[in-house]
Amino acid sequence: MTIGSSRFQQMRIGIIGLGNVGWALGRGLRRAAHQAQTVGCDRNAEKRERFSQTTGIPAYDDWKEVIEFADFILVCIRHGQVLPFLEELRHTASPEKVIACLAPAVS
C-alpha cells in the first residue's frame, strides 16, 4: 500500500502520546498522508492544544476515543508507562486494530 493509494487515504491513524516522537509523527503524517484521517491523544492539555494548532490534527485527552476511532494506533509513551498501558489496551482494543509501540528502549 502506497501513501497515494485510496486505501491509505481511508486509513484512520491514532497517535497516543504527543511528546517528541508523537509530535514528529503527527507532523510527518500531516505532510505525507494528508488524506489519512489522524487524531492524537495526550493527558497534557497544553500539549494537545499546541499539537492541534500546529498540525491541524485534533487531539483528545481520552486514549479510548483514539482506540475506538483509529485502525492503526501509534503508541508513543514513556517506557515506564508502556507495560501497564498495553495491558489495559489488550482488554480494550478489538483484534483487527494494528498497534505499533514506539517507546524508547531501556537498557
Side-chain angles (χ1 to χ4, degrees), residues 41-57:
C41 175
D42 200 282
R43 295 183 294 188
N44 183 301
E46 289 179 32
K47 282 185 183 180
R48 288 193 310 269
E49 185 175 330
R50 198 165 21 107
F51 179 81
S52 291
Q53 288 177 349
T54 303
T55 64
I57 297 172

Side-chain angles (χ1 to χ4, degrees), residues 4-102:
S5 73
S6 62
R7 184 156 187 248
F8 188 84
Q9 292 174 359
Q10 296 171 6
M11 183 176 285
R12 296 178 302 178
I13 301 168
I15 302 168
I16 297 176
L18 301 176
N20 293 336
V21 173
W23 190 280
L25 287 168
R27 288 178 55 206
L29 283 167
R30 179 53 69 200
R31 280 191 219 123
H34 62 279
Q35 299 290 334
Q37 298 177 47
T38 306
V39 298
C41 175
D42 200 282
R43 295 183 294 188
N44 183 301
E46 289 179 32
K47 282 185 183 180
R48 288 193 310 269
E49 185 175 330
R50 198 165 21 107
F51 179 81
S52 291
Q53 288 177 349
T54 303
T55 64
I57 297 172
Y60 303 96
D61 63 346
D62 185 357
W63 61 267
K64 291 179 182 175
E65 289 183 61
V66 174
I67 300 301
E68 188 175 310
F69 168 82
D71 304 310
F72 188 77
I73 299 138
L74 301 166
V75 179
C76 308
I77 60 178
R78 296 175 190 257
H79 68 272
Q81 301 168 331
V82 171
L83 290 179
F85 178 76
L86 291 178
E87 183 61 31
E88 190 169 352
L89 180 61
R90 183 171 74 103
H91 300 291
T92 306
S94 57
E96 66 272 359
K97 303 286 183 176
V98 176
I99 300 167
C101 185
L102 303 170

